[in-house]
Amino acid sequence: MLYNSRRVITLARKLRLVDYFALGWGTMVGVGWLVVMDDWLLRGGVLGAILGFAIGGALLLPIGYVYGRLVAAMPDAAGEVAYTARVFPQSISFATGWIMILAYFIVCPWEAVAVGRIAGYIFPALDSIELYRIAGQPVYLPHLLIGLSLTGLLIGLNYRGIRLSATFQNWTAFGTLALFVLFVGFGVSKGSPRNFPPLFTHSPFVSVLLVMQIVPYFMTGFESVVKGAEEASPEFRSRGFFKAIWMAIVVGILFYTIVIASVGYVAPWKQLTSEKFMTAVAFEHAVGSRWIVSVILAAALLSLFKVFNGNFVAASRLLFAIGRRGLVDRRLGHVHPRNQTPSIAVICIGLATGACMFLGDAILVPISEVGSVASAIGWLAACAAYYRMRPAPREQFIAAVGLTVGLLMILMKIVPGIPGHFTGYEWLALGIWVLLGVGLGWRRSAGTNSL
């Protein structure tokens, strides 16, 4: 909260259980199941991808439990920053918050770029007016304009009020689920188990491992529930945070495993990995009609809108929270007096998203790799903080399990020699973000010392 004009201005308290579920699940499940399904299946095969998401998702349940306990005790938009600040030095608290902002923020340009790709698939004429290329991938003017327009829409929604943003999130989240049930239910009736092979693209262990490495990125979002903790309605009970987090994880696991199994079932997937949006192509092959592609693309667009909005909410609230704590420029902790939103943080996230969009399609897969590590670092820090708080032995054990899972997910990506470890592009992206955080932290510290 902030003091402004002699009265306390807080974030608006209007969110309910259904809103928190839509935020958690909606932030988690985007359009990866359409845009990079080929990457998932080439990593692990049908069974390898299913097991990778099932195992990787299940391993997040202890982490979800820890978050549920922490947010009930400390309903603070700062999330991991607040939790770590209780037991660790301020430098660790800031580093945790900064890396988690990356985990949420990095999804925003991902989705802004993806909407241009989907629009170009629906209307091929939009794949024109090439401006330049990055890593061999063209950047088209119409794609940029569409992505920037969507970014502007979300800035407006989140600037004006959380209730407006939550209503948008609910409609897009439940609309996605309804269309998902429709196209999967009809499509699998035309498939065959003969299409499944190869079940693994490498050895079973390596196949599952390669998929598990990206699960943190595609399952990031359940913990976004805690970033909206200060905006719960007065009637909301703290137990609802735990319910929303676990519901988001379980439904996320079911969604990903079902859609992977469906793609492998409806068509010979190995022949389609070179196709753009192979999920849509696979169902079109099975049904033999274009209408199902329209349903899938509609579901993808709704899903894109909700995950973009959800990550936008989480990133802006976390940026607002660390500004309010004085870890970065305090102006970021400003609350709009009428809308009761973190208006300056919202604008900053929106402008940064628009700027990153100019990197084009080349950012999609590297971003998922960096996002995986960023999320796992935040989860590890939250579990470590809860462990240090010395809860009951049973809960301390669960925290230790979550801490171990987070650490293993980080090591899978950064240790050389492990299949799928970071390449130079991922290290570069992560390094730039770390240096930016160090610069902001140093500048803030220098400014404080000069007062």
Side-chain angles (χ1 to χ4, degrees):
M1 64 184 67
L2 296 177
Y3 289 90
N4 192 339
S5 302
R6 296 185 179 180
R7 70 185 181 91
V8 177
I9 303 175
T10 64
L11 297 176
R13 300 187 61 192
K14 297 184 178 181
L15 299 183
R16 307 155 299 175
L17 177 60
V18 66
D19 301 320
Y20 282 114
F21 166 74
L23 176 61
W25 181 79
T27 303
M28 180 189 304
V29 177
V31 293
W33 55 273
L34 175 68
V35 177
V36 289
M37 177 62 74
D38 55 339
D39 179 64
W40 297 357
L41 291 175
L42 289 173
R43 282 172 179 267
V46 175
L47 187 55
I50 291 172
L51 290 175
F53 272 95
I55 296 171
L59 290 174
L60 299 182
L61 290 172
I63 299 174
Y65 178 88
V66 169
Y67 271 97
R69 298 291 292 176
L70 286 170
V71 68
M74 289 180 281
D76 191 318
E80 296 84 0
V81 178
Y83 310 149
T84 52
R86 288 283 296 270
V87 293
F88 295 120
Q90 186 183 79
S91 57
I92 292 179
S93 180
F94 171 72
T96 301
W98 186 248
I99 203 71
M100 281 306 290
I101 290 176
L102 173 64
Y104 298 121
F105 163 70
I106 209 168
V107 179
C108 296
W110 199 104
E111 303 300 334
V113 169
V115 72
R117 291 189 67 192
I118 295 173
Y121 185 79
I122 300 172
F123 305 106
L126 295 176
D127 292 340
S128 60
I129 316 179
E130 181 179 326
L131 299 178
Y132 49 86
R133 287 178 175 257
I134 295 181
Q137 297 292 326
V139 175
Y140 298 114
L141 177 61
H143 291 200
L144 277 177
L145 295 177
I146 292 170
L148 291 172
S149 297
L150 177 58
T151 302
L153 171 65
L154 294 187
I155 292 174
L157 285 175
N158 286 282
Y159 186 90
R160 293 187 58 191
I162 188 59
R163 185 67 258 163
L164 188 61
S165 178
T167 300
F168 177 84
Q169 189 75 4
N170 291 345
W171 277 101
T172 51
F174 289 102
T176 299
L177 286 171
L179 292 176
F180 169 75
V181 171
L182 175 63
F183 78 75
V184 168
F186 192 87
V188 296
S189 66
K190 308 293 184 178
S192 168
R194 294 193 301 270
N195 294 324
F196 277 136
L199 298 179
F200 301 98
T201 50
H202 306 81
S203 69
F205 175 77
V206 171
S207 296
V208 174
L209 177 65
L210 287 173
V211 176
M212 284 182 63
Q213 289 175 338
I214 60 171
V215 168
Y217 175 76
F218 291 103
M219 294 288 286
T220 293
F222 65 88
E223 76 293 333
S224 65
V225 167
V226 310
K227 310 309 182 297
E230 294 180 36
E231 295 163 278
S233 68
E235 298 79 22
F236 186 83
R237 296 184 179 275
S238 60
R239 181 69 179 173
F241 291 124
F242 183 88
K243 292 179 180 178
I245 289 171
W246 266 49
M247 286 168 57
I249 295 174
V250 171
V251 176
I253 293 170
L254 292 174
F255 183 95
Y256 281 126
T257 53
I258 289 172
V259 76
I260 292 168
S262 300
V263 170
Y265 186 78
V266 299
W269 66 270
K270 189 70 172 178
Q271 301 173 21
L272 303 176
T273 53
S274 61
E275 297 283 348
K276 191 176 184 180
F277 302 141
M278 70 166 292
T279 299
V281 174
F283 277 89
E284 184 178 18
H285 275 228
V287 176
S289 175
R290 184 75 181 179
W291 72 265
I292 199 165
V293 173
S294 299
V295 173
I296 291 171
L297 294 177
L301 284 173
L302 287 179
S303 190
L304 185 152
F305 295 157
K306 68 176 178 52
V307 79
F308 194 170
N309 184 62
N311 279 282
F312 199 104
V313 169
S316 59
R317 268 54 180 181
L318 192 49
L319 184 61
F320 154 78
I322 67 172
R324 181 179 59 184
R325 286 172 170 259
L327 299 178
V328 292
D329 194 315
R330 286 189 179 275
R331 287 175 292 185
L332 291 167
H334 173 74
V335 178
H336 193 283
R338 184 179 69 253
N339 299 333
Q340 292 182 272
T341 57
S343 52
I344 294 179
V346 165
I347 292 172
C348 287
I349 293 295
L351 292 176
T353 297
C356 289
M357 267 204 67
F358 287 86
L359 296 174
D361 290 1
I363 69 173
L364 293 184
V365 173
I367 274 182
S368 67
E369 303 283 2
V370 176
S372 293
V373 169
S375 302
I377 291 173
W379 299 339
L380 181 149
C383 291
Y386 191 54
Y387 184 89
R388 286 284 301 273
M389 292 175 192
R390 300 189 182 282
R394 173 179 170 272
E395 296 188 1
Q396 198 168 28
F397 173 75
I398 294 174
V401 173
L403 192 157
T404 302
V405 170
L407 179 61
L408 290 175
M409 287 183 169
I410 295 169
L411 293 177
M412 281 195 304
K413 295 306 301 177
I414 67 173
V415 175
I418 295 179
H421 66 83
F422 268 16
T423 65
Y425 288 112
E426 286 85 27
W427 281 117
L428 177 62
L430 183 60
I432 290 173
W433 187 259
V434 169
L435 289 175
L436 182 59
V438 170
L440 288 174
W442 175 83
R443 182 179 178 183
R444 182 61 191 165
S445 176
T448 302
N449 293 335
S450 66
L451 295 178

